[in-house]
PDB file of all heavy atoms in Angstrom:
ATOM      1  N   ASN A  58      19.658  40.133 -14.156  1.00 91.00           N
ATOM      2  CA  ASN A  58      19.597  41.149 -13.103  1.00 91.00           C
ATOM      3  C   ASN A  58      18.292  41.048 -12.317  1.00 91.00           C
ATOM      4  O   ASN A  58      17.270  40.870 -12.959  1.00 91.00           O
ATOM      5  CB  ASN A  58      19.754  42.553 -13.660  1.00 91.00           C
ATOM      6  CG  ASN A  58      21.069  42.786 -14.343  1.00 91.00           C
ATOM      7  OD1 ASN A  58      22.118  42.407 -13.818  1.00 91.00           O
ATOM      8  ND2 ASN A  58      21.078  43.354 -15.495  1.00 91.00           N
ATOM      9  N   TYR A  59      18.357  41.199 -11.022  1.00 90.00           N
ATOM     10  CA  TYR A  59      17.142  41.116 -10.215  1.00 90.00           C
ATOM     11  C   TYR A  59      17.258  42.160  -9.096  1.00 90.00           C
ATOM     12  O   TYR A  59      18.318  42.388  -8.489  1.00 90.00           O
ATOM     13  CB  TYR A  59      16.989  39.717  -9.583  1.00 90.00           C
ATOM     14  CG  TYR A  59      15.813  39.692  -8.628  1.00 90.00           C
ATOM     15  CD1 TYR A  59      14.565  39.362  -9.076  1.00 90.00           C
ATOM     16  CD2 TYR A  59      15.999  39.952  -7.288  1.00 90.00           C
ATOM     17  CE1 TYR A  59      13.491  39.331  -8.227  1.00 90.00           C
ATOM     18  CE2 TYR A  59      14.903  39.941  -6.418  1.00 90.00           C
ATOM     19  CZ  TYR A  59      13.666  39.619  -6.876  1.00 90.00           C
ATOM     20  OH  TYR A  59      12.570  39.601  -6.046  1.00 90.00           O
ATOM     21  N   PHE A  60      16.161  42.839  -8.877  1.00 92.00           N
ATOM     22  CA  PHE A  60      16.016  43.728  -7.683  1.00 92.00           C
ATOM     23  C   PHE A  60      14.695  43.487  -7.045  1.00 92.00           C
ATOM     24  O   PHE A  60      13.655  43.425  -7.686  1.00 92.00           O
ATOM     25  CB  PHE A  60      16.122  45.223  -8.135  1.00 92.00           C
ATOM     26  CG  PHE A  60      15.884  46.120  -6.987  1.00 92.00           C
ATOM     27  CD1 PHE A  60      16.917  46.441  -6.125  1.00 92.00           C
ATOM     28  CD2 PHE A  60      14.657  46.712  -6.758  1.00 92.00           C
ATOM     29  CE1 PHE A  60      16.736  47.265  -4.995  1.00 92.00           C
ATOM     30  CE2 PHE A  60      14.424  47.556  -5.700  1.00 92.00           C
ATOM     31  CZ  PHE A  60      15.514  47.818  -4.814  1.00 92.00           C
ATOM     32  N   GLY A  61      14.727  43.260  -5.726  1.00 90.00           N
ATOM     33  CA  GLY A  61      13.503  43.030  -4.962  1.00 90.00           C
ATOM     34  C   GLY A  61      13.830  42.483  -3.592  1.00 90.00           C
ATOM     35  O   GLY A  61      14.988  42.352  -3.208  1.00 90.00           O
ATOM     36  N   PRO A  62      12.798  42.168  -2.833  1.00 92.00           N
ATOM     37  CA  PRO A  62      13.004  41.671  -1.471  1.00 92.00           C
ATOM     38  C   PRO A  62      13.490  40.251  -1.411  1.00 92.00           C
ATOM     39  O   PRO A  62      13.143  39.419  -2.154  1.00 92.00           O
ATOM     40  CB  PRO A  62      11.626  41.798  -0.827  1.00 92.00           C
ATOM     41  CG  PRO A  62      10.638  41.761  -1.958  1.00 92.00           C
ATOM     42  CD  PRO A  62      11.338  42.347  -3.122  1.00 92.00           C
ATOM     43  N   ALA A  63      14.404  39.988  -0.434  1.00 92.00           N
ATOM     44  CA  ALA A  63      14.856  38.662  -0.123  1.00 92.00           C
ATOM     45  C   ALA A  63      13.998  38.219   1.065  1.00 92.00           C
ATOM     46  O   ALA A  63      14.011  38.777   2.129  1.00 92.00           O
ATOM     47  CB  ALA A  63      16.330  38.661   0.285  1.00 92.00           C
ATOM     48  N   TYR A  64      13.154  37.192   0.802  1.00 91.00           N
ATOM     49  CA  TYR A  64      12.220  36.707   1.832  1.00 91.00           C
ATOM     50  C   TYR A  64      12.846  35.844   2.866  1.00 91.00           C
ATOM     51  O   TYR A  64      12.386  35.704   3.983  1.00 91.00           O
ATOM     52  CB  TYR A  64      11.071  35.996   1.160  1.00 91.00           C
ATOM     53  CG  TYR A  64      10.172  36.946   0.356  1.00 91.00           C
ATOM     54  CD1 TYR A  64      10.437  37.120  -0.997  1.00 91.00           C
ATOM     55  CD2 TYR A  64       9.168  37.656   0.984  1.00 91.00           C
ATOM     56  CE1 TYR A  64       9.659  38.042  -1.757  1.00 91.00           C
ATOM     57  CE2 TYR A  64       8.416  38.546   0.216  1.00 91.00           C
ATOM     58  CZ  TYR A  64       8.670  38.728  -1.107  1.00 91.00           C
ATOM     59  OH  TYR A  64       7.898  39.613  -1.884  1.00 91.00           O
ATOM     60  N   ASN A  65      13.920  35.147   2.452  1.00 90.00           N
ATOM     61  CA  ASN A  65      14.557  34.172   3.308  1.00 90.00           C
ATOM     62  C   ASN A  65      15.899  33.863   2.694  1.00 90.00           C
ATOM     63  O   ASN A  65      16.295  34.460   1.707  1.00 90.00           O
ATOM     64  CB  ASN A  65      13.674  32.894   3.451  1.00 90.00           C
ATOM     65  CG  ASN A  65      13.900  32.177   4.747  1.00 90.00           C
ATOM     66  OD1 ASN A  65      14.907  32.265   5.410  1.00 90.00           O
ATOM     67  ND2 ASN A  65      12.867  31.460   5.159  1.00 90.00           N
ATOM     68  N   VAL A  66      16.543  32.839   3.262  1.00 94.00           N
ATOM     69  CA  VAL A  66      17.823  32.409   2.668  1.00 94.00           C
ATOM     70  C   VAL A  66      17.780  30.942   2.336  1.00 94.00           C
ATOM     71  O   VAL A  66      17.048  30.194   2.967  1.00 94.00           O
ATOM     72  CB  VAL A  66      19.046  32.711   3.604  1.00 94.00           C
ATOM     73  CG1 VAL A  66      19.201  34.223   3.802  1.00 94.00           C
ATOM     74  CG2 VAL A  66      18.955  31.991   4.896  1.00 94.00           C
ATOM     75  N   PHE A  67      18.527  30.546   1.314  1.00 92.00           N
ATOM     76  CA  PHE A  67      18.668  29.133   0.975  1.00 92.00           C
ATOM     77  C   PHE A  67      19.983  28.631   1.470  1.00 92.00           C
ATOM     78  O   PHE A  67      21.035  29.256   1.310  1.00 92.00           O
ATOM     79  CB  PHE A  67      18.594  29.004  -0.582  1.00 92.00           C
ATOM     80  CG  PHE A  67      18.984  27.670  -1.097  1.00 92.00           C
ATOM     81  CD1 PHE A  67      18.120  26.608  -0.952  1.00 92.00           C
ATOM     82  CD2 PHE A  67      20.280  27.444  -1.613  1.00 92.00           C
ATOM     83  CE1 PHE A  67      18.506  25.322  -1.412  1.00 92.00           C
ATOM     84  CE2 PHE A  67      20.618  26.170  -2.112  1.00 92.00           C
ATOM     85  CZ  PHE A  67      19.750  25.128  -1.978  1.00 92.00           C
ATOM     86  N   VAL A  68      20.022  27.465   2.120  1.00 93.00           N
ATOM     87  CA  VAL A  68      21.235  26.774   2.522  1.00 93.00           C
ATOM     88  C   VAL A  68      21.142  25.379   2.044  1.00 93.00           C
ATOM     89  O   VAL A  68      20.274  24.614   2.467  1.00 93.00           O
ATOM     90  CB  VAL A  68      21.405  26.809   4.071  1.00 93.00           C
ATOM     91  CG1 VAL A  68      22.673  26.088   4.465  1.00 93.00           C
ATOM     92  CG2 VAL A  68      21.390  28.222   4.612  1.00 93.00           C
ATOM     93  N   GLY A  69      21.982  25.018   1.102  1.00 91.00           N
ATOM     94  CA  GLY A  69      21.959  23.710   0.483  1.00 91.00           C
ATOM     95  C   GLY A  69      22.611  22.656   1.336  1.00 91.00           C
ATOM     96  O   GLY A  69      23.127  22.918   2.419  1.00 91.00           O
ATOM     97  N   ARG A  70      22.696  21.418   0.776  1.00 89.00           N
ATOM     98  CA  ARG A  70      23.378  20.326   1.502  1.00 89.00           C
ATOM     99  C   ARG A  70      24.260  19.547   0.525  1.00 89.00           C
ATOM    100  O   ARG A  70      25.132  18.814   0.991  1.00 89.00           O
ATOM    101  CB  ARG A  70      22.318  19.399   2.070  1.00 89.00           C
ATOM    102  CG  ARG A  70      21.418  18.727   1.129  1.00 89.00           C
ATOM    103  CD  ARG A  70      20.433  17.767   1.790  1.00 89.00           C
ATOM    104  NE  ARG A  70      19.527  17.228   0.804  1.00 89.00           N
ATOM    105  CZ  ARG A  70      19.798  16.193   0.008  1.00 89.00           C
ATOM    106  NH1 ARG A  70      20.962  15.583   0.140  1.00 89.00           N
ATOM    107  NH2 ARG A  70      18.920  15.769  -0.878  1.00 89.00           N
TER     108      ARG A  70
END
Side-chain angles (χ1 to χ4, degrees):
N58 295 315
Y59 175 87
F60 176 79
Y64 292 94
N65 209 333
V66 296
F67 168 77
V68 179
R70 61 179 177 84

